[in-house]
């Protein structure tokens, strides 16, 4: 199987994954889909009580876990207004100023789905006397249904606590740019699917025991708080940050040296960067000032592990995000060499 074919597979998996709404706490369909993909490859995924997926890829000794998260940003209905509009509450670090005017979906507990649009309380330029600040208390969801009061909304089966998910609008351009909501972290989930597929089809000789862990509460901080007991090393495969004061671009693999919770394992960061340099990969070592990851949740949970973080560069995080297939390729190759050298 060629690298080109596997990159195409990763792109198609990304589209499938982003098409499944999975805000934190609403991930069942996404985990079912992922388990099905691994079962088709011949793996035996295991589902934890809280919904994380663990998949052993093979190898022996010095257990390594690669982790990515399936949960995304989103919202929940906080209350139903008297005029039939929905007041939201955030799930994860959702930024409402990036969602004004976006299409969305509302999922009810009896299995129905309704579409709607996110708008501020006075979005009409020809009506508003002054601009409305785009913060949570000023945002509301207008359903694409003929309802104009609370009773009408409740008659649809919609209630407080129902999930609100944004339209991902996933596009991969001919020039290789990847544009979508929730590249954080479904792009890396797709990369790990590609790694698992290559191990099976190409017969990679793994240099240690390697497992994959897909978490479902990363966006609220405790996704990786419980991991396999024999884990010695854990690498979070998440988005690499792109922005001011950072060297990473969308076409690179980013290796994080430090984030808001402190430094990553010095020797592991050094090893990953040396491999990237030896292989001629386009990479950057960066510091993320406003970031946290699943491997740090594992450390906070008391696990004695070496920890690292890599991922393809993603611009406009927690927004309508953008990356590039070159960043995917560099991330894929770095993981391949680290697992097989």
């Amino acid at each position: 199987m060629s690298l080109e074919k596997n990159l195409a597979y990763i792109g198609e998996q990304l589209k499938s994954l982003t098409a499944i709404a999975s805000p934190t706490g609403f991930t069942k369909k996404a985990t079912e889909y992922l388990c099905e993909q691994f079962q088709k490859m011949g793996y035996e995924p295991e589902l934890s009580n809280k919904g994380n997926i663990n998949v052993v890829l093979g190898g022996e000794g010095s257990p390594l876990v690669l982790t990515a998260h399936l949960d995304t940003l989103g919202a929940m209905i906080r209350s139903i207004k008297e005029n039939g509009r929905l007041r939201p509450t955030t799930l994860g670090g959702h930024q409402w100023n990036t969602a004004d005017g976006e299409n969305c979906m509302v999922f009810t507990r009896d299995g129905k789905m309704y579409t709607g649009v996110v708008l501020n309380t006075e979005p009409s330029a020809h009506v508003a006397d002054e601009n409305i600040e785009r913060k949570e208390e000023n945002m509301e969801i207008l359903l694409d249904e003929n309802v104009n009061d609370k009773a009408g909304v409740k008659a649809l089966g919609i209630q407080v606590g129902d999930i609100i998910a944004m339209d991902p609008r996933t596009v991969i351009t001919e020039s290789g740019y990847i544009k979508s909501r929730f590249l954080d972290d479904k792009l890396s989930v797709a990369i790990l699917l590609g790694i698992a597929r290559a191990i099976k089809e190409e017969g990679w000789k793994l240099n240690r025991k390697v497992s994959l862990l897909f978490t479902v509460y990363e966006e609220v901080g405790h996704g990786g708080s419980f991991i396999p007991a024999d884990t010695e090393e854990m690498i979070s495969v998440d988005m690499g940050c792109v922005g001011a004061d950072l060297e990473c671009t969308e076409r690179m693999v980013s290796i994080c040296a430090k984030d808001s919770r402190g430094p990553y394992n010095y020797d592991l960061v050094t090893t990953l960067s040396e491999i990237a340099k030896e292989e001629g990969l386009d990479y950057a070592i960066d510091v993320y000032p406003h970031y946290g990851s699943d491997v740090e949740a594992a450390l906070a949970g008391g696990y004695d592990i070496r920890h690292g973080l890599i991922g393809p560069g993603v611009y406009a995080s927690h927004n309508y995000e953008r990356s590039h297939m070159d960043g995917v390729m560099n991330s894929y190759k770095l993981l391949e060499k680290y697992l097989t050298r």
Side-chain angles (χ1 to χ4, degrees), residues 112 149 157 181 245 290:
K112 297 176 184 176
D149 57 25
R181 285 190 179 273
D245 203 31
H290 309 288

Side-chain angles (χ1 to χ4, degrees), residues 36-86:
E36 288 173 5
Q37 301 311 302
F38 282 110
Q39 288 165 349
K40 288 177 183 177
M41 294 181 202
Y43 293 106
E44 298 179 357
E46 297 180 353
L47 198 64
S48 74
N49 289 328
K50 79 175 187 179
N52 289 351
I53 302 171
N54 186 64
V55 187
V56 178
L57 300 185
E60 296 182 359
S62 302
L64 164 68
V65 171
L66 302 176
T67 182
H69 63 93
L70 268 173
D71 64 313
T72 70
L73 306 178
M76 178 184 285
I77 297 176
R78 172 174 168 169
S79 63
I80 302 171
K81 298 184 176 184
E82 293 299 331
N83 62 3
R85 299 179 183 183
L86 311 177

Side-chain angles (χ1 to χ4, degrees), residues 103-170:
N103 290 324
C104 67
M105 297 157 283
V106 176
F107 295 89
T108 69
R109 292 187 183 271
D110 59 0
K112 297 176 184 176
M113 188 276 286
Y114 295 96
T115 63
V117 61
V118 181
L119 290 168
N120 66 68
T121 52
E122 185 45 84
S124 301
H126 294 87
V127 176
D129 292 326
E130 57 185 32
N131 290 330
I132 301 295
E133 186 178 357
R134 291 169 175 81
K135 57 184 181 180
E136 186 172 292
E137 64 190 71
N138 294 334
M139 306 304 294
E140 56 189 15
I141 284 76
L142 283 67
L143 294 168
D144 299 329
E145 302 292 330
N146 294 324
V147 291
N148 54 20
D149 57 25
K150 183 184 290 189
V153 172
K154 288 189 172 183
L156 296 174
I158 294 172
Q159 60 185 322
V160 170
D162 285 347
I163 297 295
I164 301 164
M166 303 301 151
D167 183 350
R169 294 191 285 126
T170 306

